[in-house]
Amino acid sequence: MSNPSAEPGGPVEETGPFGLPVDAALAADARERLAVVETLLLDCVRGEDPLLTEASRHLVEAGGKRFRPMLVLLASHFGDPASPGVVPAAVVVELTHLGTLYHDDVMDEATVRRGQESANSRWTNTVAILTGDYLFARASDLLADLGPEAVRIQARAFARLVRGQIQETVGPAADADPLKHYLQVVADKTASLIAVSGQFGALLSGAPSHVVDTVTSACEKIGIAFQLSDDILDIDSETEESGKTPGTDLREGIRTLPMHHVL
């Protein structure tokens, strides 16, 4: 949208959400490099087995926000955004995220994902699980070229992600604060990979270590907010809006923030 306060006849300044100014050059760079990410992403899910290729491309081609790759690209501007590891790192986090979606849909028995029939519904649970595993393997293959520190960061984030899923599945202990438990699940299950997105972008672009730490911390908080919003959409949205089956958490007996407030 344009800024109505711009001088008549002068350059029109773009504004984004909350009336904040948009850096047009940064936005153009992000769009250009996201297209490169998309190309590499599609290359990575192309394999020798026709079914595996089709199943792997299923969610990639369904779209999605590409939120995590975008954070990698944006964070890279704290250093040299043209550094060779930045785009592969953006693909790594998206492949990892996509892999978790295949597994999530099996666990949730979901029938819709990104407005499309879920992989487990279109094929079988087994195909969906193996496809998720394949995407994790492809992510690891790319990651190996980014150095041991990047491998370690990803491995630790993945461990947090799995721990968060187990904690959500088991639920809080009898003597635990259920809200605190829920927020820890959110941090581990969702925010961990979003934090890594910012960390990869800053780290692989050569940003100073204190900047990398700050970006990582900020992106973790963004990840928590992102999941809180998603939990609200699970209750207060239609499939056409969210692209997912609404009410999944409620049916699974998972108490998200809206439920904690109701209770």
Side-chain angles (χ1 to χ4, degrees):
M1 59 184 290
S2 60
N3 184 353
S5 65
E7 292 295 327
V12 177
E13 182 182 275
E14 287 186 88
T15 56
F18 313 112
L20 295 174
V22 172
D23 185 325
L26 179 61
D29 176 78
R31 284 192 294 269
E32 182 179 332
R33 293 202 293 151
L34 266 179
V36 178
V37 169
E38 198 71 19
T39 299
L40 181 55
L41 187 61
L42 285 168
D43 285 344
C44 285
V45 297
R46 186 179 296 114
E48 296 178 359
D49 183 87
L51 175 58
L52 189 55
T53 297
E54 183 184 4
S56 298
R57 292 172 68 98
H58 181 63
L59 284 187
V60 174
E61 294 177 340
K65 295 176 283 293
R66 302 292 188 257
F67 181 55
R68 292 156 189 82
M70 178 66 77
L71 282 180
V72 176
L73 300 180
L74 292 177
S76 72
H77 282 267
F78 287 102
D80 178 8
S83 295
V86 172
V87 167
V91 176
V92 165
V93 293
E94 186 65 8
L95 284 172
T96 304
H97 171 58
L98 288 170
T100 67
L101 297 185
Y102 283 89
H103 288 188
D104 280 350
D105 287 344
V106 171
M107 289 185 287
D108 297 339
E109 299 180 355
T111 57
V112 177
R113 169 69 69 175
R114 295 183 171 176
Q116 304 291 327
E117 187 179 18
S118 63
N120 49 299
S121 293
R122 180 169 178 176
W123 291 285
T124 63
N125 283 345
T126 300
V127 169
I129 291 169
L130 291 174
T131 302
D133 292 344
Y134 178 69
L135 296 185
F136 294 144
R138 299 298 293 134
S140 297
D141 192 17
L142 273 181
L143 193 63
D145 293 329
L146 301 181
E149 181 62 17
V151 173
R152 185 177 299 109
I153 289 169
Q154 172 81 350
R156 289 175 178 174
F158 198 76
R160 283 186 65 190
L161 195 156
V162 174
R163 183 173 69 236
Q165 182 63 65
I166 289 177
Q167 289 174 333
E168 180 181 78
T169 302
V170 174
D175 58 346
D177 179 340
L179 182 57
K180 184 176 181 180
H181 174 270
Y182 162 74
L183 290 174
Q184 186 61 56
V185 166
V186 167
D188 287 340
K189 184 182 173 185
T190 301
S192 58
L193 189 59
I194 292 176
V196 164
S197 300
Q199 187 175 11
F200 274 168
L203 177 69
L204 295 170
S205 68
S209 59
H210 71 279
V211 172
V212 175
D213 291 343
T214 301
V215 170
T216 304
S217 176
C219 286
E220 173 125 357
K221 293 173 176 62
I222 289 171
I224 291 171
F226 183 89
Q227 185 60 53
L228 296 182
S229 174
D230 199 58
D231 288 345
I232 293 170
L233 286 175
D234 183 69
I235 293 175
D236 190 35
S237 70
E238 301 296 332
T239 299
E240 292 76 13
E241 177 186 357
S242 67
K244 296 183 286 188
T245 304
T248 298
D249 291 330
L250 285 172
R251 285 190 296 276
E252 292 289 317
I254 296 170
R255 294 181 179 179
T256 57
L257 189 62
M259 284 302 299
H260 283 294
H261 277 293
V262 168
L263 291 170

